[in-house]
Amino acid sequence: MPVERASERAHDAVLRHIEDSLRSGGLKLGDRLPGERALAEQFGISRASVRDAIRALEVMGIVRSATGSGPNAGTIVVSDPSSALGSALRLHVASQRLPVKDIVEARVMMETWSLAHAADAEWEPGQAEEARRLLEAMDDPGLPSPAFTALDAQFHVALSALAGNSVVSTMMDSLRESIRGYVDDAVSTRGQWHDIVGELRRQHWEILEAVEARDGERAARLVQEHIEWFYARTL
């Protein structure tokens, strides 16, 4: 069995190797990592340490592992940063280390910036139409509140993506998902859903109208009012 390195956690060598390979282009999205045995022999560590490294990469959203055989088996480089960031933020919000108020303020900063800049950005085909389809789905009067809030999250992420900044989009996605638990709890425990859902729909359509008109200043103002209004109503 390989001798573990005493000066560092054994699996750190694997993590650094993956990082360096991604930077250099030696590894790309869709590539498959070598098997546990090959990695263990390459780095002189145990297969258990290799498994620890793979699990860490999965948590970070860098790879996806699947057992069995076939084209989807093994450990594949996928890169899903919003999932990893969102999970970490949700846990820290749950631990009360990150106050919901601060998360909401960060959302306001991200979304107002995004909608202000979306006005002058080049949109990918179908981006604005996707936001409209989400609002049309939310107009269903029989839609349960958890389904509505899930679509709501997708709508805000879709609008933020119009600015064309992938880092902002990823952070926005993570911030929005980090307060999904708070939103769902506020909706279910405060008994105000039927009182506010109509206003949420109206605000959403007004925001989209400003976005489609390429009125960045108005869109940014409306989304800030929308976020702060909901937060104030559900305190």
Side-chain angles (χ1 to χ4, degrees):
M1 179 179 293
V3 177
E4 299 290 325
R5 305 179 183 197
S7 61
E8 60 182 354
R9 289 183 301 174
H11 71 275
D12 283 350
V14 180
L15 299 180
R16 284 201 311 276
H17 171 72
I18 300 301
E19 179 181 355
D20 291 343
S21 297
L22 289 168
R23 287 182 188 277
S24 68
L27 272 179
K28 301 179 292 296
L29 293 182
D31 285 352
R32 186 175 281 99
L33 299 186
E36 284 183 9
R37 178 177 296 177
L39 288 172
E41 292 175 352
Q42 179 179 350
F43 295 104
I45 62 178
S46 68
R47 293 180 68 172
S49 292
V50 170
R51 284 192 291 273
D52 286 344
I54 298 302
R55 280 194 291 266
L57 289 167
E58 285 188 283
V59 169
M60 290 186 283
I62 301 300
V63 301
R64 181 190 70 241
S65 294
T67 58
S69 59
N72 295 321
T75 303
I76 300 172
V77 179
V78 293
S79 187
D80 184 9
S82 62
S83 174
L85 288 171
S87 296
L89 283 169
R90 281 196 301 271
L91 288 170
H92 287 296
V93 170
S95 72
Q96 301 182 3
R97 180 65 183 85
L98 294 177
V100 171
K101 177 178 179 293
D102 291 355
I103 294 290
V104 170
E105 289 177 350
R107 258 196 76 197
V108 168
M109 287 189 288
M110 290 288 182
E111 294 201 45
T112 53
W113 183 94
S114 294
L115 296 195
H117 285 74
D120 299 319
E122 292 186 11
W123 301 347
E124 295 292 330
Q127 275 189 298
E129 288 78 4
E130 173 62 16
R132 177 170 287 274
R133 284 194 294 270
L134 289 166
L135 289 194
E136 289 170 350
M138 279 187 273
D139 278 347
D140 179 357
L143 194 68
S145 60
F148 184 98
T149 58
L151 292 170
D152 184 356
Q154 294 177 48
F155 171 70
H156 282 268
V157 171
L159 289 187
S160 297
L162 292 173
N165 186 303
S166 59
V167 175
V168 170
S169 295
T170 297
M171 294 176 68
M172 175 53 226
D173 194 357
S174 303
L175 286 171
R176 184 70 177 98
E177 285 300 308
S178 71
I179 61 170
R180 274 288 304 283
Y182 154 75
V183 171
D184 288 338
D185 178 67
V187 165
S188 63
T189 62
R190 289 165 176 77
Q192 301 184 61
W193 181 244
H194 293 293
D195 297 332
I196 67 175
V197 66
E199 179 62 14
L200 288 174
R201 289 188 176 108
R202 186 195 67 78
Q203 291 176 3
H204 283 154
W205 280 108
E206 193 173 15
I207 292 166
L208 182 60
E209 179 184 299
V211 169
E212 291 180 331
R214 299 276 186 168
D215 189 342
E217 182 178 350
R218 182 166 180 263
R221 174 177 56 80
L222 289 172
V223 82
Q224 178 171 355
E225 292 173 354
H226 166 68
I227 295 169
E228 292 177 346
W229 176 84
F230 179 81
Y231 181 62
R233 286 293 303 267
T234 54
L235 278 173

